[in-house]
Amino acid sequence: MAAIAFAITPLGAQTLDEKVQEKVQVCSACHGENGKPVDKTIPNIWGQQTGYLYIQLRDFKRGDRKSEIMQPIASAFEKDDMLAIAEYFSNKPWPDLDQPRAPKDVAQRAQTANGSVGCTGCHLDHFQGDSTVPRLAGQGRDYLAKTMADFRTRARGNNPGMSDLMIATSTDDLAALAEYLAGL
């Protein structure tokens, strides 16, 4: 059987799985071999929504989302690569980043802010996200805080609606949301 498979596969060709494995190793250098990012401002991508991961890779490739690190990496990917990478990481288990739950007063402030901003309107009741909307529950606190700040200053420009929401939310409420979401 192996001889037949070898005869059918052109010399030097790789299976999609081998190609994906090589590409995800590049991702793992920063996003972590075990799903825990090497830097607290880098997002956890293990167990993240497939559609969301694909859109972010696409946006990095197109330059709609800026990153000196991610743009060169994503620019080398074709659509099928990005879809396969997104699927690969979405099927990984969401890691526990060992973040403490927010204190009661911070959690209450975050829940009040959510009532005003309406985070759960898109990110759903338990902040799990769906499809093209990212999971926020258990994401790294520093990454969440940085992302909210980047949306607020429009440094992250690939979702103008998020920028508008972050601008309309006080920095103290954003800090509470980041701490609360990280501890879920």
Side-chain angles (χ1 to χ4, degrees):
M1 275 314 248
I4 293 171
F6 180 75
I8 294 173
T9 305
L11 288 176
Q14 293 179 311
T15 66
L16 182 61
D17 290 338
E18 290 170 341
K19 286 174 59 179
V20 170
Q21 285 297 329
E22 288 176 13
K23 288 172 176 50
V24 299
Q25 286 306 310
V26 172
C27 303
S28 296
C30 295
H31 293 280
E33 292 287 332
N34 60 359
K36 295 181 180 185
V38 298
D39 179 291
K40 293 181 187 254
T41 60
I42 295 173
N44 166 45
I45 59 174
W46 277 35
Q48 188 55 272
Q49 302 297 330
T50 306
Y52 176 75
L53 291 172
Y54 167 74
I55 287 172
Q56 299 314 300
L57 288 170
R58 182 205 65 195
D59 286 357
F60 282 125
K61 180 179 177 107
R62 294 192 319 198
D64 295 340
R65 184 170 175 191
K66 309 290 184 207
S67 169
E68 292 177 9
I69 296 169
M70 285 301 302
Q71 278 178 289
I73 294 168
S75 69
F77 297 156
E78 297 300 324
K79 181 178 182 178
D80 289 345
D81 296 329
M82 293 185 282
L83 290 168
I85 292 165
E87 183 71 23
Y88 173 86
F89 282 110
S90 71
N91 286 320
K92 293 288 196 181
W94 187 267
D96 180 357
L97 300 181
D98 301 317
Q99 300 175 115
R101 287 203 169 279
K104 187 175 183 177
D105 62 320
V106 173
Q108 287 175 331
R109 182 175 192 135
Q111 290 166 346
T112 300
N114 176 47
S116 299
V117 179
C119 306
T120 50
C122 296
H123 295 279
L124 304 180
D125 288 340
H126 300 288
F127 301 96
Q128 299 295 313
D130 187 36
S131 185
T132 60
V133 178
R135 174 183 173 150
L136 301 179
Q139 185 61 268
R141 185 189 62 78
D142 292 349
Y143 171 74
L144 288 166
K146 180 183 180 328
T147 299
M148 290 177 193
D150 286 350
F151 276 127
R152 188 177 174 84
T153 63
R154 298 196 188 275
R156 180 164 170 186
N158 70 325
N159 188 334
M162 279 299 299
S163 290
D164 293 343
L165 289 171
M166 297 300 99
I167 290 167
T169 307
S170 77
T171 55
D172 289 342
D173 284 350
L174 293 177
L177 280 166
E179 187 172 348
Y180 174 71
L181 293 168
L184 293 178

